[in-house]
Amino acid sequence: MKATSSCAPLNFIRNLLQHQRKWILLFSGSRELSELDDYWSDYLINARALRMTYLHESEARDLILHPVENFADIYEPTAVEAIIQLTRCQPFLVQLVCYELVESLNGDIRKNQGNADTVKATAQNVQEIIPQVLARGVQYFRELWTSLAESDRSLLRRIIHGETPTPQDKGVVRKLARKEILTMEGNTFQVPLVQKYVEQLLEEE
């Protein structure tokens, strides 16, 4: 909206929310409502906020092993554990890792003319596809990074370089923990895959 100075799309959406009782509109984003510009409150006045968070581990395992009905048994148990550890059961990241893993396995099968019924993903395979995962999910990771204030990013840089948060960082740590980036202690990333993206980003700066 800032780019065009037009409120027409938001006015249309507000009209739908107010007058189309049989319609349900779903908005999703990485920012909390409190972080949006003031004008959004007028358009989302009738909206209900739902926080999406991690899957339970059992749900993540089911998503990995049974994404569709009659899905082939392609994972060694160690691969499943590696996916869960790397993503901390964040639903988008679980699916992203699994997608890249299946693509990699299929590529190996075609290249080596292997038997699809005997090939299984290992924990090593999971580690090997991390660069592809970061590249495929770049829009997600970039939005996560750019949505942060400079003070947030500064703290993450310091943590990557081995520093420990100070008492003055308490507010930033609390905010980043709420956004599921850092743990409440403030010295560890909640999701290892997010940490790997930030490490890669800092290497390129």
Side-chain angles (χ1 to χ4, degrees), residues 79-107:
V80 176
E81 296 302 324
I83 295 169
I84 288 173
Q85 187 276 331
L86 190 63
T87 64
R88 203 192 170 191
C89 303
Q90 203 274 11
F92 170 73
L93 296 179
V94 169
Q95 293 180 82
L96 180 63
V97 172
C98 290
Y99 174 84
E100 288 299 329
L101 199 50
V102 169
E103 287 288 293
S104 177
L105 288 179
N106 287 339

Short mmCIF file of all heavy atoms in Angstrom, two decimals, residues 79-107:
data_model
loop_
_atom_site.label_atom_id
_atom_site.label_comp_id
_atom_site.label_asym_id
_atom_site.label_seq_id
_atom_site.Cartn_x
_atom_site.Cartn_y
_atom_site.Cartn_z
N ALA A 79 17.09 -40.46 9.94
CA ALA A 79 16.74 -39.32 9.09
C ALA A 79 15.56 -38.56 9.67
O ALA A 79 15.54 -37.32 9.68
CB ALA A 79 16.42 -39.81 7.67
N VAL A 80 14.58 -39.30 10.19
CA VAL A 80 13.42 -38.66 10.81
C VAL A 80 13.87 -37.83 12.00
O VAL A 80 13.44 -36.68 12.19
CB VAL A 80 12.37 -39.71 11.23
CG1 VAL A 80 11.21 -39.04 11.96
CG2 VAL A 80 11.87 -40.49 10.02
N GLU A 81 14.75 -38.40 12.83
CA GLU A 81 15.26 -37.67 13.99
C GLU A 81 16.01 -36.42 13.56
O GLU A 81 15.90 -35.36 14.19
CB GLU A 81 16.18 -38.57 14.82
CG GLU A 81 15.51 -39.78 15.44
CD GLU A 81 14.34 -39.42 16.34
OE1 GLU A 81 14.42 -38.39 17.03
OE2 GLU A 81 13.35 -40.17 16.34
N ALA A 82 16.77 -36.52 12.49
CA ALA A 82 17.54 -35.37 12.01
C ALA A 82 16.62 -34.25 11.52
O ALA A 82 16.89 -33.07 11.76
CB ALA A 82 18.49 -35.81 10.89
N ILE A 83 15.54 -34.62 10.84
CA ILE A 83 14.57 -33.61 10.36
C ILE A 83 13.92 -32.90 11.55
O ILE A 83 13.79 -31.67 11.56
CB ILE A 83 13.51 -34.26 9.46
CG1 ILE A 83 14.15 -34.81 8.20
CG2 ILE A 83 12.41 -33.25 9.11
CD1 ILE A 83 13.23 -35.69 7.37
N ILE A 84 13.52 -33.67 12.54
CA ILE A 84 12.88 -33.09 13.73
C ILE A 84 13.84 -32.17 14.47
O ILE A 84 13.48 -31.06 14.88
CB ILE A 84 12.35 -34.21 14.64
CG1 ILE A 84 11.13 -34.86 13.98
CG2 ILE A 84 12.02 -33.68 16.03
CD1 ILE A 84 10.61 -36.08 14.70
N GLN A 85 15.09 -32.59 14.61
CA GLN A 85 16.08 -31.77 15.31
C GLN A 85 16.36 -30.49 14.53
O GLN A 85 16.44 -29.40 15.11
CB GLN A 85 17.37 -32.59 15.49
CG GLN A 85 18.43 -31.91 16.35
CD GLN A 85 19.31 -30.93 15.59
OE1 GLN A 85 19.54 -31.10 14.38
NE2 GLN A 85 19.79 -29.90 16.28
N LEU A 86 16.49 -30.60 13.22
CA LEU A 86 16.85 -29.45 12.39
C LEU A 86 15.75 -28.40 12.32
O LEU A 86 16.01 -27.20 12.28
CB LEU A 86 17.18 -29.94 10.98
CG LEU A 86 17.80 -28.97 9.99
CD1 LEU A 86 19.17 -28.50 10.47
CD2 LEU A 86 17.93 -29.62 8.62
N THR A 87 14.49 -28.85 12.33
CA THR A 87 13.35 -27.94 12.15
C THR A 87 12.61 -27.61 13.44
O THR A 87 11.78 -26.71 13.45
CB THR A 87 12.32 -28.57 11.19
OG1 THR A 87 11.79 -29.76 11.80
CG2 THR A 87 12.95 -28.92 9.86
N ARG A 88 12.87 -28.37 14.47
CA ARG A 88 12.14 -28.28 15.73
C ARG A 88 10.62 -28.38 15.51
O ARG A 88 9.81 -27.74 16.20
CB ARG A 88 12.47 -27.00 16.49
CG ARG A 88 12.18 -27.15 17.98
CD ARG A 88 12.21 -25.83 18.71
NE ARG A 88 11.68 -26.01 20.06
CZ ARG A 88 11.38 -25.02 20.87
NH1 ARG A 88 11.53 -23.78 20.48
NH2 ARG A 88 10.90 -25.26 22.07
N CYS A 89 10.24 -29.13 14.49
CA CYS A 89 8.83 -29.41 14.17
C CYS A 89 8.07 -28.17 13.69
O CYS A 89 6.84 -28.12 13.80
CB CYS A 89 8.10 -30.05 15.36
SG CYS A 89 8.86 -31.57 15.95
N GLN A 90 8.78 -27.19 13.14
CA GLN A 90 8.11 -26.05 12.52
C GLN A 90 7.49 -26.57 11.22
O GLN A 90 8.20 -27.09 10.37
CB GLN A 90 9.13 -24.93 12.26
CG GLN A 90 8.54 -23.56 12.15
CD GLN A 90 8.07 -23.24 10.72
OE1 GLN A 90 8.01 -24.10 9.87
NE2 GLN A 90 7.73 -21.99 10.48
N PRO A 91 6.18 -26.47 11.06
CA PRO A 91 5.50 -27.19 9.96
C PRO A 91 6.00 -26.86 8.56
O PRO A 91 6.20 -27.76 7.74
CB PRO A 91 4.02 -26.82 10.13
CG PRO A 91 3.99 -25.67 11.07
CD PRO A 91 5.21 -25.77 11.92
N PHE A 92 6.21 -25.57 8.26
CA PHE A 92 6.70 -25.22 6.92
C PHE A 92 8.09 -25.80 6.68
O PHE A 92 8.37 -26.35 5.61
CB PHE A 92 6.74 -23.70 6.73
CG PHE A 92 7.45 -23.28 5.48
CD1 PHE A 92 6.85 -23.46 4.24
CD2 PHE A 92 8.72 -22.72 5.53
CE1 PHE A 92 7.52 -23.09 3.07
CE2 PHE A 92 9.39 -22.35 4.37
CZ PHE A 92 8.78 -22.54 3.14
N LEU A 93 8.96 -25.71 7.68
CA LEU A 93 10.32 -26.19 7.51
C LEU A 93 10.38 -27.71 7.42
O LEU A 93 11.21 -28.26 6.69
CB LEU A 93 11.20 -25.67 8.66
CG LEU A 93 11.36 -24.15 8.71
CD1 LEU A 93 12.24 -23.74 9.88
CD2 LEU A 93 11.92 -23.61 7.40
N VAL A 94 9.52 -28.40 8.15
CA VAL A 94 9.45 -29.86 8.03
C VAL A 94 9.13 -30.24 6.59
O VAL A 94 9.79 -31.09 5.98
CB VAL A 94 8.39 -30.45 8.99
CG1 VAL A 94 8.13 -31.92 8.67
CG2 VAL A 94 8.84 -30.31 10.44
N GLN A 95 8.11 -29.60 6.03
CA GLN A 95 7.71 -29.92 4.66
C GLN A 95 8.79 -29.51 3.65
O GLN A 95 9.01 -30.21 2.66
CB GLN A 95 6.39 -29.23 4.33
CG GLN A 95 5.23 -29.78 5.15
CD GLN A 95 3.93 -29.09 4.84
OE1 GLN A 95 3.27 -29.42 3.87
NE2 GLN A 95 3.55 -28.12 5.66
N LEU A 96 9.45 -28.40 3.92
CA LEU A 96 10.51 -27.94 3.02
C LEU A 96 11.67 -28.92 2.99
O LEU A 96 12.17 -29.29 1.91
CB LEU A 96 11.00 -26.56 3.48
CG LEU A 96 12.11 -25.91 2.66
CD1 LEU A 96 11.65 -25.64 1.23
CD2 LEU A 96 12.57 -24.61 3.33
N VAL A 97 12.10 -29.38 4.15
CA VAL A 97 13.20 -30.34 4.22
C VAL A 97 12.81 -31.65 3.55
O VAL A 97 13.58 -32.22 2.77
CB VAL A 97 13.63 -30.59 5.69
CG1 VAL A 97 14.63 -31.74 5.77
CG2 VAL A 97 14.25 -29.33 6.29
N CYS A 98 11.60 -32.12 3.83
CA CYS A 98 11.14 -33.38 3.23
C CYS A 98 11.06 -33.27 1.70
O CYS A 98 11.43 -34.21 0.99
CB CYS A 98 9.79 -33.78 3.81
SG CYS A 98 9.87 -34.32 5.53
N TYR A 99 10.59 -32.13 1.21
CA TYR A 99 10.51 -31.93 -0.24
C TYR A 99 11.89 -32.04 -0.87
O TYR A 99 12.08 -32.75 -1.87
CB TYR A 99 9.89 -30.57 -0.56
CG TYR A 99 9.90 -30.24 -2.02
CD1 TYR A 99 8.89 -30.69 -2.87
CD2 TYR A 99 10.93 -29.48 -2.58
CE1 TYR A 99 8.91 -30.40 -4.24
CE2 TYR A 99 10.97 -29.18 -3.93
CZ TYR A 99 9.95 -29.65 -4.76
OH TYR A 99 9.99 -29.38 -6.10
N GLU A 100 12.85 -31.33 -0.32
CA GLU A 100 14.20 -31.34 -0.88
C GLU A 100 14.84 -32.72 -0.75
O GLU A 100 15.59 -33.16 -1.63
CB GLU A 100 15.08 -30.29 -0.21
CG GLU A 100 14.73 -28.87 -0.59
CD GLU A 100 14.90 -28.61 -2.09
OE1 GLU A 100 15.77 -29.24 -2.73
OE2 GLU A 100 14.14 -27.79 -2.63
N LEU A 101 14.52 -33.42 0.32
CA LEU A 101 15.07 -34.76 0.52
C LEU A 101 14.53 -35.73 -0.52
O LEU A 101 15.28 -36.52 -1.12
CB LEU A 101 14.73 -35.24 1.93
CG LEU A 101 15.56 -36.38 2.53
CD1 LEU A 101 17.05 -36.11 2.40
CD2 LEU A 101 15.18 -36.57 3.99
N VAL A 102 13.24 -35.68 -0.77
CA VAL A 102 12.62 -36.54 -1.78
C VAL A 102 13.18 -36.21 -3.17
O VAL A 102 13.49 -37.10 -3.97
CB VAL A 102 11.08 -36.41 -1.76
CG1 VAL A 102 10.46 -37.09 -2.98
CG2 VAL A 102 10.52 -37.01 -0.47
N GLU A 103 13.33 -34.90 -3.47
CA GLU A 103 13.90 -34.50 -4.76
C GLU A 103 15.31 -35.04 -4.92
O GLU A 103 15.69 -35.52 -6.00
CB GLU A 103 13.92 -32.97 -4.86
CG GLU A 103 12.56 -32.35 -5.08
CD GLU A 103 12.04 -32.62 -6.49
OE1 GLU A 103 12.63 -32.09 -7.45
OE2 GLU A 103 11.06 -33.37 -6.62
N SER A 104 16.09 -34.98 -3.85
CA SER A 104 17.46 -35.46 -3.89
C SER A 104 17.51 -36.97 -4.10
O SER A 104 18.30 -37.48 -4.91
CB SER A 104 18.19 -35.08 -2.60
OG SER A 104 19.51 -35.59 -2.59
N LEU A 105 16.66 -37.70 -3.37
CA LEU A 105 16.62 -39.16 -3.52
C LEU A 105 16.20 -39.55 -4.94
O LEU A 105 16.80 -40.45 -5.55
CB LEU A 105 15.66 -39.77 -2.51
CG LEU A 105 16.09 -39.77 -1.04
CD1 LEU A 105 15.00 -40.38 -0.18
CD2 LEU A 105 17.40 -40.51 -0.85
N ASN A 106 15.19 -38.88 -5.45
CA ASN A 106 14.73 -39.19 -6.81
C ASN A 106 15.82 -38.92 -7.84
O ASN A 106 15.99 -39.67 -8.81
CB ASN A 106 13.48 -38.39 -7.15
CG ASN A 106 12.25 -38.89 -6.43
OD1 ASN A 106 12.20 -40.04 -5.98
ND2 ASN A 106 11.25 -38.04 -6.30
N GLY A 107 16.57 -37.84 -7.63
CA GLY A 107 17.68 -37.53 -8.53
C GLY A 107 18.75 -38.60 -8.49
O GLY A 107 19.29 -39.00 -9.53
#
